[in-house]
Amino acid sequence: MTQCGGAHRCSGDTDNRRGGRLTDRAVNLLLDQLAADADLVGENGRPALSAHVLRHTFGTNLTRSRVDVVTVAQLMGHKRLETTRRYTLPTQADMEAAVAHLPTDE
């Protein structure tokens, strides 16, 4: 993940046809098309891919990779750790893996 300039503005594949920033709508339309192409649809028949889903996945994957929550919060642009916590709720498997990493007397 890189940042281009203080305003997080980059040129290249993320620009629209006029060289400006992609709108939220344009990103969601692109993700809808990618989901349809990959046959990723939910039970309701709608695309099962969105910027929001990707954002949750990003935060969860960072947490599962044992990145500390303060760093995850900063990468996600959150001012409050409570916001980050909602994005990275652990599953039962995550909690079992955490306990498995505790030292034992074996």
Side-chain angles (χ1 to χ4, degrees), residues 1-2 51-65 67 71-78 84 87-88:
M1 185 162 137
T2 62
H52 193 70
V53 167
L54 293 176
R55 188 167 170 78
H56 273 273
T57 302
F58 175 72
T60 299
N61 285 343
L62 286 171
T63 302
R64 286 182 179 157
S65 296
V67 175
T71 301
V72 174
Q74 190 163 9
L75 287 168
M76 295 185 75
H78 295 158
T84 306
Y87 272 87
T88 59

Side-chain angles (χ1 to χ4, degrees), residues 7-105:
H8 304 282
R9 245 315 262 125
C10 301
S11 60
D13 293 339
T14 57
D15 289 350
N16 65 21
R17 289 181 215 150
R18 292 174 292 220
R21 186 174 168 210
L22 287 175
T23 64
D24 291 348
R25 175 100 174 112
V27 170
N28 283 322
L29 287 172
L30 177 63
L31 291 173
D32 284 351
Q33 186 60 53
L34 289 170
D37 290 349
D39 200 26
L40 296 173
V41 292
E43 292 176 7
N44 59 1
R46 298 271 309 134
L49 181 63
S50 69
H52 193 70
V53 167
L54 293 176
R55 188 167 170 78
H56 273 273
T57 302
F58 175 72
T60 299
N61 285 343
L62 286 171
T63 302
R64 286 182 179 157
S65 296
R66 293 184 176 72
V67 175
D68 73 273
V69 69
V70 174
T71 301
V72 174
Q74 190 163 9
L75 287 168
M76 295 185 75
H78 295 158
K79 292 180 181 177
R80 298 178 57 226
L81 293 179
E82 178 62 25
T83 304
T84 306
R85 188 190 67 76
R86 285 183 288 170
Y87 272 87
T88 59
L89 292 175
T91 63
Q92 183 65 34
D94 293 330
M95 292 186 283
E96 289 172 7
V99 171
H101 280 89
L102 292 172
T104 62
D105 291 334

